[in-house]
Amino acid sequence: VSYLPASQNYCVSAQYTAKSASMFGYTISVSNKAFEQDKSTKHEASICAAVADKNDPAKLEVAPCFLPKFAAGPYWVVAFNDEEGWALISGGQPTIQGTNGCKNGSGVNGSGLWIFTRQQARDDAIVQKVRNLAVDKGFDITVLNDVDQTNCPQ
């Protein structure tokens, strides 16, 4: 996927912070960070998010902060466990039949499937649990890339 190529799947993190509504109505600041394999080349991006439907707060819309919300893409919290510290995130409704289930597109909006954890160190049991949940929900998990979260710079 163009916004996070496999070459940047090292020490990936995202920080979400509530904020006052912006001119375009965004209420969440998102700071994304990823490194290349050498772990010295860093890529950072700040974007904004807002709840797309107040009746379904798990469905967000995200975009660069300077774009109005009509240009934002879907970003859905499909499942989460606050106590265990994980979330399954989809770039909206999957619409493409994949190898082993449905998947999203490959562009910037309407694409992506992620497993988020609060802990930086990978917990294989949690990752496998969330992968199994994704399969149970009909997602094609062959789109997931492993991320190296070891020896990350501060």
Side-chain angles (χ1 to χ4, degrees):
V1 177
S2 61
Y3 56 88
L4 187 60
S7 65
Q8 295 176 22
N9 283 177
Y10 300 89
C11 301
V12 176
S13 64
Q15 179 77 34
Y16 294 76
T17 307
K19 68 177 199 157
S20 298
S22 70
M23 175 175 63
F24 293 122
Y26 295 114
T27 55
I28 303 166
S29 294
V30 184
S31 177
N32 292 321
K33 183 171 33 175
F35 288 82
E36 296 198 16
Q37 187 171 11
D38 63 12
K39 296 185 183 168
S40 65
T41 305
K42 180 170 41 172
H43 301 272
E44 294 182 278
S46 293
I47 58 174
C48 287
V51 173
D53 177 352
K54 67 180 179 182
N55 295 318
D56 194 353
K59 292 182 178 178
L60 303 176
E61 46 196 5
V62 298
C65 301
F66 61 84
L67 290 177
K69 288 198 297 184
F70 72 79
Y75 193 83
W76 295 359
V77 180
V78 176
F80 76 98
N81 184 308
D82 197 37
E83 188 174 303
E84 293 180 7
W86 59 261
L88 176 64
I89 311 294
S90 174
Q93 178 68 44
T95 59
I96 300 167
Q97 183 62 43
T99 306
N100 299 306
C102 291
K103 63 182 182 176
N104 294 350
S106 59
V108 173
N109 287 342
S111 63
L113 181 66
W114 302 272
I115 297 172
F116 285 4
T117 62
R118 284 215 180 97
Q119 299 300 317
Q120 183 171 353
R122 181 184 176 107
D123 182 328
D124 285 323
I126 286 178
V127 170
Q128 191 56 52
K129 177 180 184 173
V130 181
R131 281 177 175 262
N132 291 342
L133 177 68
V135 168
D136 291 346
K137 290 188 174 289
F139 285 95
D140 180 355
I141 63 168
T142 63
V143 302
L144 291 171
N145 293 326
D146 283 333
V147 175
D148 180 350
Q149 294 290 92
T150 60
N151 303 312
C152 296
Q154 296 299 335

